[in-house]
């Protein structure tokens, strides 16, 4: 599970990151509202912790902007405890609200509960499976089918395909794909992405030479046509 933590209190961010990573979560951090929006747009996060009072964009504005393109669960962190502030937070698209100072055990419990609810909602919406025409991917089983036949993908091929299926129509540059799927700067070896895209087409497209779903936006990057992601 991948969590984004955004707060301008760097010491607090460091502590939350340490505690969540000790629970096995993958954690990325930011320090202002605009950074939160940019990172949420670029990354595939399972949950976002967002401070209310931050520079550039406050948490409410950031939450509303993230809601324009994502349904990722969001927990607002704030020093304010008034009911009116909580209502404004929920109206801005937040899923939960925790007041500082908080017990880290309570925060972990809120995170687990929200991730569990999000997972159940996804299953009710369609078993968590992602499709695009004849392509079917099951994230929980980490299995893929092409026109009803099981296909074996490497771990990175699977992660790349899942990202594209979850964000149909969104064009990713090779640099973005390297950062998101491989998780670090890959020394500028953008050909790594090209090779994986070619393999996905060979394994999943009915006519790899004329792909129907895994498409190229010339001069920009790659994207997936259609899908239910």
């Amino acid at each position: 599970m991948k969590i984004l933590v955004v707060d301008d209190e760097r010491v607090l961010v460091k502590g939350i990151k340490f505690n969540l990573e000790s629970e096995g979560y993958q954690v990325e951090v930011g320090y202002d509202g605009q950074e939160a929006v940019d990172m949420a747009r670029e990354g595939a996060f399972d949950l976002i912790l967002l401070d209310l009072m931050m520079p550039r964009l406050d948490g409410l504005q950031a939450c509303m902007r993230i809601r324009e393109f994502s349904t990722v669960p969001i927990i607002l962190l704030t020093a304010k405890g008034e009911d009116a502030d909580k209502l404004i937070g929920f109206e801005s698209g937040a899923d939960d609200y925790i007041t500082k100072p908080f017990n880290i055990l309570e925060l972990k419990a809120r995170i687990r509960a929200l991730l569990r609810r999000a997972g159940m909602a996804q299953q009710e919406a369609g078993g968590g499976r992602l499709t695009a025409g004849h392509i079917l991917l099951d994230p929980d089983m980490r299995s893929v089918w092409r026109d009803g036949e099981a296909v074996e993908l490497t771990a990175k091929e699977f992660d790349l395909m899942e990202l594209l299926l979850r964000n149909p129509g969104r064009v990713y540059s090779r640099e973005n794909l390297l950062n998101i799927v491989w998780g670090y700067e890959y020394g500028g070896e953008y050909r790594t992405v090209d090779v994986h895209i070619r393999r996905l087409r060979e394994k999943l497209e009915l006519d790899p030479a004329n792909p129907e779903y895994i498409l190229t936006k010339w001069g920009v990057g790659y994207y997936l046509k259609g899908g239910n992601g």
Side-chain angles (χ1 to χ4, degrees):
M1 290 289 184
K2 190 175 178 182
I3 297 177
L4 174 61
V5 179
V6 186
D7 193 311
D8 59 337
E9 296 183 48
R10 291 177 180 262
V11 174
L12 177 63
V13 169
K14 184 177 180 180
I16 293 175
K17 184 176 190 293
F18 173 81
N19 278 279
L20 294 183
E21 287 181 337
S22 70
E23 293 287 316
Y25 297 111
Q26 181 181 350
V27 181
E28 293 189 17
V29 302
Y31 302 102
D32 65 64
Q34 185 59 55
E35 193 173 10
V37 176
D38 294 341
M39 294 180 73
R41 194 185 300 276
E42 294 298 326
F45 295 99
D46 296 289
L47 184 141
I48 296 176
L49 300 178
L50 195 60
D51 185 44
L52 188 63
M53 303 301 294
M54 291 187 294
R56 297 179 73 190
L57 282 179
D58 64 31
L60 295 178
Q61 292 175 307
C63 186
M64 287 188 287
R65 292 198 183 181
I66 291 170
R67 280 289 171 259
E68 293 175 1
F69 59 84
S70 175
T71 58
V72 61
I74 296 175
I75 298 178
L76 284 179
L77 309 176
T78 179
K80 295 182 178 180
E82 296 296 329
D83 288 341
D85 294 314
K86 294 180 182 180
L87 289 175
I88 294 173
F90 290 132
E91 289 173 358
S92 300
D95 296 278
D96 203 353
Y97 196 106
I98 189 166
T99 304
K100 300 176 183 176
F102 51 79
N103 185 302
I104 192 65
L105 296 178
E106 179 186 2
L107 178 61
K108 290 178 181 179
R110 297 279 190 96
I111 289 172
R112 286 194 297 270
L114 196 50
L115 287 173
R116 186 165 56 248
R117 290 204 304 270
M120 291 174 61
Q122 184 184 58
Q123 290 177 5
E124 291 170 0
R129 293 185 170 189
L130 305 168
T131 63
H134 60 270
I135 301 170
L136 171 64
L137 181 147
D138 188 318
D140 294 327
M141 296 176 61
R142 287 190 70 83
S143 299
V144 185
W145 293 266
R146 171 185 177 270
D147 207 19
E149 295 185 6
V151 176
E152 290 296 326
L153 299 183
T154 66
K156 289 303 180 188
E157 288 169 355
F158 187 95
D159 293 343
L160 177 57
M161 194 63 202
E162 181 179 0
L163 175 68
L164 295 176
L165 278 166
R166 288 190 182 280
N167 300 277
R170 178 177 174 184
V171 181
Y172 289 92
S173 69
R174 290 182 295 173
E175 181 180 8
N176 282 344
L177 290 173
L178 280 173
N179 291 337
I180 295 170
V181 176
W182 279 260
Y184 58 91
E185 294 290 349
Y186 206 70
E189 288 294 334
Y190 297 145
R191 180 166 167 73
T192 299
V193 175
D194 300 335
V195 170
H196 279 72
I197 290 291
R198 188 186 74 239
R199 289 176 180 168
L200 284 174
R201 286 171 174 165
E202 291 171 349
K203 293 180 178 182
L204 297 176
E205 292 282 2
L206 297 178
D207 181 1
N210 297 286
E212 184 179 0
Y213 295 101
I214 306 169
L215 304 179
T216 301
K217 186 75 169 180
W218 295 108
V220 183
Y222 298 105
Y223 67 102
L224 184 103
K225 177 183 177 182
N228 73 346

